[in-house]
Amino acid sequence: MSIWIFFKLLGSLALLMFGMKGMSEALQKMAGPQLRHVLGAMTTNRFTGMLTGMLVTASVQSSTATTVMTVSFVNAGLLTLAQAISVIMGANIGTTLTAWIMSAGMSFDISIVSYIGFFLGIILIYMKKHRYVGDFLFGLGLLLLGLTTLRLTGNEMDLGHNETVLNFFASFDPKSFLTTLVFLLLGGVLTFCVQSSAAVMAITMILCSSGALPIYQGIALVMGENIGTTVTSNLAALSANTQARRAALAHMFFNVFGVIWILFVFRPFVDMVCGWVGYDVNMMKDAVSSEAFLANASKLTFVLAAFHTTFNVANTMILIWFIPQIERFVCWVIKPKKVDEEEDFRLHFITAGFMKTPELSVLEAQKEIRSFSDRMQRMFGMVTELLTLSSSESAKKKGGSETEFNKLYSRIEKYEGISDNMELEIAKYLDTVSDAHLSDDTKAKIRAMLREISELESIGDACFNMARTINRKYNGKQDHFTERQYEHIHQMMGLTDQSLTEMNRLMGGRKETYDVNRTFNIENEINNYRNQLKAQNIADINNHEYTYAVGTIYMDLINECEKLGDYVVNVVEARMGIR
């Protein structure tokens, strides 16, 4: 094989992989939000979950995209792990559509379709309004062109008459169980190395259709591809959260179990599929004419596609009845990490390795921001508790109370560090996602999210400033606040907490159903109350109700609450797309 043909082979594989990637991403841009809603609404039981996974994966041509969406719903509490497993089973069936597209591309001259796709695609891309359809057609064109080039390269290589290749495959005993295991392992390793089961499937189709690779070894390679692709997702999920790792393990268990039972009925099962397609497994090259042998061999691409689909459908039909047991198994193997929340600086939903679909990565980032928002309200609750601890007249006399105060202050300090880390990590992630080709809606969402995390971090800063003010007063020699001052501060903090609650209601729900006027009304109340207390504070100091130093600390807390309210309004405006 000349170096020229070798590079043609590599280049056509690259075209195929890039075309699939472009096609999948364009489909996600066109249908991402709708597919997410379908996935959340249609998984009422294991069968609808399986059908949903199959349809969504067939639509976006990416089982990874379906798995990512599914895991994000599990993390959000919208799906149970059992429902997620049924969706992943369906995704395994949906992804076999790729094999049928490839078998058609390998069997017929479809280059004219790819050129039409390029022509229409470029027109739609420049029309802007329908550019995602254009991106899809361009991706499809590249995919079909890659398949056509692969087919032509395979013919040029003439592997059916290459003595070296034929002798290599002939050195394996086709009836040996060990040979099946060797090719099974080879398929898994190749898929893991090239990170694309589609590329390995294409190579398998070339080898089989040229007559170089016997069907049983080719099928063994396909089974190995099924395992190899799950090894990749499991390694990617190592840095992910518990549910993502469980979903990846369930995917691997599904495929490994399928391969194990199919090995017991390997030859009868393959012969059955060959019979459906009309391929003669007993035809020998020496017994018939070269044309008849190659005509029979040309059906092998459809045999591989049919086996891939039949295998996954049969495996799903067996395992769909054992989803609760699979769930218990993966939960037993992967236990949640016992990490103190205060010490946990890891993000819960975002994982750089597991997110391979930019459009869907935004959904994960949104979940992380929601978690960030909840955490900031908990931090504010701690500040309120700190003020209560500091208000006791005998607080300093009681060692226990002082220890409790210092412990709570340290906790707030730690939360401030966490808020800084969360802002940086989410911003870094969104920056990575924004490098991909995204829809305009998604770009706008990313801009809004960057504003949200900046304002949420400011809320953390405001909470810590209040805690430091309370700590300074607690450890200083200033007089205590009067009962009326404590009452005013608690009332202001109550209003601030209301605004945080409204913000979190928006972050956790759908913005279409949210009435933004509630937030603005609370903000007006906070501003009016701050102005009222400011005027009253000056009068109280003049009347010697308390010292100027106590009045300054008092107003520092009131002003910090008012600032915090402003940050909340900024978060709400960013989420609602205002300004």
Side-chain angles (χ1 to χ4, degrees):
M1 184 171 69
S2 71
I3 192 75
W4 169 241
I5 293 178
F6 177 70
F7 277 115
K8 273 181 79 175
L9 179 69
L10 290 181
S12 51
L13 280 172
L15 262 181
L16 168 75
M17 290 163 68
F18 187 74
M20 279 200 69
K21 181 176 181 287
M23 195 172 78
S24 175
E25 287 184 359
L27 282 164
Q28 287 173 48
K29 287 174 192 174
M30 286 191 285
Q34 287 77 11
L35 288 173
R36 289 200 287 269
H37 296 152
V38 166
L39 201 58
M42 286 183 62
T43 49
T44 50
N45 60 56
R46 66 185 77 180
F47 296 104
T48 56
M50 183 267 291
L51 286 169
T52 305
M54 185 174 74
L55 292 170
V56 169
T57 305
S59 300
V60 297
Q61 281 297 290
S62 172
S63 57
T64 302
T66 308
T67 306
V68 166
M69 282 193 285
T70 305
V71 170
S72 71
F73 278 122
V74 174
N75 283 332
L78 301 174
L79 288 181
T80 64
L81 184 60
Q83 288 172 319
I85 292 169
S86 70
V87 173
I88 290 166
M89 285 181 178
N92 258 32
I93 298 173
T95 197
T96 62
L97 179 64
T98 307
W100 286 103
I101 294 170
M102 290 171 69
S103 64
M106 290 287 188
S107 304
F108 308 108
D109 183 6
I110 50 175
S111 56
I112 186 64
V113 180
S114 64
Y115 296 128
I116 292 170
F118 291 143
F119 176 68
L120 294 176
I122 200 69
I123 291 172
L124 291 170
I125 287 168
Y126 278 104
M127 281 173 68
K128 299 257 178 164
K129 188 178 179 183
H130 302 292
R131 69 176 177 279
Y132 304 137
V133 180
D135 286 341
F136 166 73
L137 289 174
F138 227 85
L140 180 63
L142 288 171
L143 168 67
L144 297 177
L145 185 63
L147 286 171
T148 303
T149 316
L150 266 177
R151 182 174 59 81
L152 294 172
T153 307
N155 294 339
E156 200 175 332
M157 288 161 72
D158 195 20
L159 295 172
H161 295 97
N162 189 311
E163 290 301 319
T164 309
V165 175
L166 289 172
N167 290 336
F168 172 74
F169 288 122
S171 65
F172 295 94
D173 180 4
K175 294 182 180 178
S176 168
F177 182 70
L178 182 62
T179 299
T180 304
L181 290 179
V182 168
F183 277 85
L184 179 72
L185 181 65
L186 184 63
V189 170
L190 277 173
T191 305
F192 176 70
C193 290
V194 301
Q195 297 279 299
S196 170
S197 58
V200 181
M201 176 67 89
I203 294 168
T204 308
M205 285 181 172
I206 287 177
L207 290 168
C208 286
S209 60
S210 65
L213 182 65
I215 183 59
Y216 297 110
Q217 282 95 309
I219 295 288
L221 278 176
V222 171
M223 293 188 336
E225 290 157 22
N226 264 23
I227 294 176
T229 194
T230 64
V231 172
T232 305
S233 63
N234 270 272
L235 288 175
L238 284 176
S239 61
N241 54 58
T242 303
Q243 295 292 21
R245 286 183 291 127
R246 284 173 176 169
L249 180 62
H251 192 196
M252 177 180 263
F253 175 85
F254 175 83
N255 283 10
V256 170
F257 178 85
V259 167
I260 290 169
W261 74 257
I262 210 82
L263 286 172
F264 287 101
V265 291
F266 185 61
R267 283 183 176 267
F269 195 89
V270 174
D271 291 346
M272 177 187 72
V273 174
C274 290
W276 290 347
V277 177
Y279 171 77
D280 186 355
V281 289
N282 298 312
M283 186 181 287
M284 302 301 293
K285 188 174 183 180
D286 301 330
V288 294
S289 66
S290 179
E291 290 77 12
F293 178 77
L294 288 174
N296 191 47
S298 67
K299 296 176 184 175
L300 280 173
T301 56
F302 289 105
V303 172
L304 290 169
F307 172 83
H308 199 204
T309 303
T310 309
F311 163 72
N312 279 299
V313 169
N315 200 26
T316 300
M317 289 303 100
I318 293 168
L319 288 178
I320 200 164
W321 306 102
F322 299 98
I323 286 175
Q325 288 77 13
I326 296 170
E327 181 184 20
R328 282 200 292 273
F329 171 72
V330 295
C331 290
W332 174 72
V333 173
I334 299 174
K335 294 180 172 61
K337 293 179 180 177
K338 292 179 181 176
V339 184
D340 178 22
E341 187 195 12
E342 268 60 63
E343 301 295 337
D344 184 12
F345 289 91
R346 283 179 66 253
L347 299 179
H348 295 290
F349 302 100
I350 289 174
T351 49
F354 200 56
M355 297 296 117
K356 294 183 181 178
T357 51
E359 290 288 323
L360 301 174
S361 300
V362 176
L363 180 69
E364 300 301 292
Q366 190 61 60
K367 300 280 190 305
E368 204 62 70
I369 293 171
R370 180 184 174 184
S371 170
F372 190 2
S373 178
D374 284 336
R375 191 172 288 220
M376 290 304 95
Q377 186 165 15
R378 284 203 302 277
M379 185 179 181
F380 184 74
M382 291 177 206
V383 174
T384 308
E385 195 182 334
L386 192 75
L387 179 69
T388 305
L389 284 173
S390 73
S391 67
S392 170
E393 289 293 331
S394 55
K396 291 192 180 182
K397 296 176 186 176
K398 296 179 182 176
S401 295
E402 190 167 352
T403 305
E404 200 177 337
F405 180 93
N406 291 332
K407 188 178 174 184
L408 185 58
Y409 179 74
S410 297
R411 239 182 122 195
I412 294 168
E413 196 170 19
K414 215 169 275 184
Y415 257 65
E416 206 277 329
I418 290 172
S419 74
D420 290 344
N421 276 292
M422 287 188 83
E423 183 198 14
L424 291 172
E425 290 299 316
I426 297 171
K428 185 177 165 187
Y429 179 77
L430 288 173
D431 188 48
T432 306
V433 172
S434 64
D435 288 339
H437 299 292
L438 300 167
S439 62
D440 289 341
D441 283 349
T442 305
K443 286 176 184 173
K445 278 180 190 170
I446 288 176
R447 285 194 296 272
M449 286 179 184
L450 288 169
R451 185 181 168 199
E452 284 168 27
I453 58 172
S454 172
E455 298 298 340
L456 285 169
E457 195 276 331
S458 296
I459 290 174
D461 287 345
C463 289
F464 187 51
N465 287 341
M466 291 171 75
R468 280 194 302 188
T469 302
I470 294 166
N471 184 55
R472 191 170 73 245
K473 180 183 174 303
Y474 182 79
N475 292 309
K477 295 178 180 179
Q478 287 91 354
D479 296 331
H480 286 289
F481 290 139
T482 64
E483 285 298 320
R484 199 168 60 158
Q485 280 179 311
Y486 275 122
E487 190 183 315
H488 291 158
I489 297 170
H490 281 298
Q491 198 168 339
M492 178 62 101
M493 283 184 162
L495 285 170
T496 310
D497 191 57
Q498 274 181 46
S499 68
L500 286 165
T501 301
E502 284 298 317
M503 175 185 78
N504 281 321
R505 205 165 64 79
L506 169 63
M507 301 302 272
R510 297 187 64 171
K511 62 183 182 182
E512 293 83 7
T513 60
Y514 182 75
D515 182 7
V516 74
N517 288 321
R518 291 179 183 174
T519 295
F520 293 149
N521 290 339
I522 295 170
E523 170 62 7
N524 286 334
E525 276 190 69
I526 290 172
N527 288 342
N528 292 336
Y529 196 48
R530 188 275 314 264
N531 294 339
Q532 179 189 329
L533 294 179
K534 190 175 179 183
Q536 194 173 341
N537 178 59
I538 294 168
D540 289 344
I541 291 170
N542 288 334
N543 294 332
H544 305 292
E545 303 241 351
Y546 44 79
T547 63
Y548 181 81
V550 169
T552 302
I553 293 171
Y554 166 65
M555 281 314 297
D556 281 348
L557 292 174
I558 298 296
N559 287 328
E560 210 61 58
C561 279
E562 192 274 331
K563 277 189 205 170
L564 199 154
D566 289 341
Y567 299 139
V568 168
V569 169
N570 293 342
V571 172
V572 169
E573 286 181 343
R575 182 84 175 91
M576 296 294 290
I578 300 170
R579 283 198 296 199

